[in-house]
């Protein structure tokens, strides 16, 4: 039970954007002492329904996930643009991008969180679920990602 | 048991630098549905032995910690300079700053991690322990913090 408009306060993922995911995955694999995860590519816009600032975008990304207990560490290399991934890599270089929470009722959460000054930057679908990035840079010091699995 | 040179692969903290910690703590408190934590100030250099790039620094910070299960969410508002906190706030604005791991044998860890292209940027003591920030921005996409409690 929580009074959070997220419905949870458990951080489940930390994401970072990088310029070369193969190199970064290799580095983290050695640092964490675990096997390198497979590198995936997000679906094309017709499948992922990727939207950046309420407009369909062809932007994609290479992704890899290290599962570290409660928290997944996600590496993201942008492919194409526009996307929040591309924006951040261009503006700030390889860097921490978001912290994520698993939620239920994505649409209602996004609407409710507008009152908390968290505005939707980007959303999309993946097999078995969907994500949304909310811009909290100014007020929260971070992009907040919502993840919902079916 | 792990083969990691960290001796662990459990992320225990996410840190972010902000321009106004009172406002940021209030915002996160509402978002997470938990009471606002107390804001602390790091010790002066004579007590904390704060070093930035191997030189003593008078820089301090206001800190606040949300305890969220495995992971603490740390807010940091820099006071004075030079520090990695000040550098990042100046270069990138309020933003995610580091991910941290609790380690044992700080001195040996720092030495061993140089071979992983993680170089010491800043270190210091706090009551009951010590911290070190290692610059992994280029290779890892993040600053890695080591924390050691006695």
């Amino acid at each position: 039970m929580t009074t959070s408009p997220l419905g949870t306060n458990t951080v489940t993922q930390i994401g970072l954007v990088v310029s070369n995911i193969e190199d970064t995955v290799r580095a983290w694999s050695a640092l964490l002492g675990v096997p390198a995860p497979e590198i995936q590519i997000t679906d094309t816009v017709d499948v992922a329904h990727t939207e950046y600032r309420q407009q369909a975008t062809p932007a994609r990304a290479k992704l890899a996930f290290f599962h570290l207990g409660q928290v997944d560490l996600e590496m993201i290399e942008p492919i194409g643009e526009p996307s929040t991934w591309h924006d951040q890599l261009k503006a700030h270089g390889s860097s921490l991008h978001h912290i994520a929470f698993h939620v239920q009722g994505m649409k209602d959460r996004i609407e409710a969180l507008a009152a908390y000054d968290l505005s939707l930057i980007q959303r999309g679908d993946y097999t078995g679920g969907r994500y949304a990035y909310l811009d909290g840079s100014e007020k929260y010091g971070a992009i907040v990602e919502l993840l919902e699995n079916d």
Side-chain angles (χ1 to χ4, degrees), chain A:
Chain A
M1 287 291 289
T2 168
T3 59
S4 168
L6 297 165
T8 175
N9 51 41
T10 301
V11 176
T12 52
Q13 187 186 90
I14 304 165
L16 42 90
V17 294
V18 298
S19 55
N20 183 316
I21 197 171
E22 288 80 7
D23 286 352
T24 310
V25 164
R26 197 175 303 117
W28 276 104
S29 172
L31 182 63
L32 297 170
V34 297
E38 189 188 353
I39 295 170
Q40 316 160 26
I41 300 185
T42 59
D43 288 319
T44 49
V45 61
D46 55 309
V47 175
H49 310 111
T50 316
E51 288 183 13
Y52 173 78
R53 301 198 181 281
Q54 279 74 50
Q55 302 285 331
T57 173
R60 300 171 69 187
K62 295 187 191 177
L63 305 180
F65 297 90
F66 287 93
H67 303 294
L68 307 173
Q70 173 189 312
V71 175
D72 284 354
L73 191 59
E74 177 186 23
M75 338 246 117
I76 305 165
E77 180 186 326
I79 303 174
E81 55 177 303
S83 73
T84 174
W85 309 312
H86 178 270
D87 288 349
Q88 179 158 334
L89 187 63
K90 189 170 174 187
H92 303 294
S94 294
S95 52
L96 292 165
H97 176 264
H98 67 258
I99 58 179
F101 300 86
H102 275 83
V103 303
Q104 295 185 307
M106 177 67 83
K107 190 167 173 293
D108 292 343
R109 295 289 174 200
I110 292 172
E111 286 176 11
L113 288 164
Y116 289 78
D117 297 319
L118 285 167
S119 62
L120 183 64
I121 325 172
Q122 182 177 320
R123 65 195 300 174
D125 298 334
Y126 50 83
T127 304
R130 61 206 59 81
Y131 72 88
Y133 291 114
L134 307 180
D135 187 2
S137 303
E138 199 159 325
K139 186 163 178 175
Y140 298 88
I143 291 171
V144 173
E145 184 181 28
L146 309 183
L147 293 166
E148 183 177 37
N149 292 332
D150 295 325

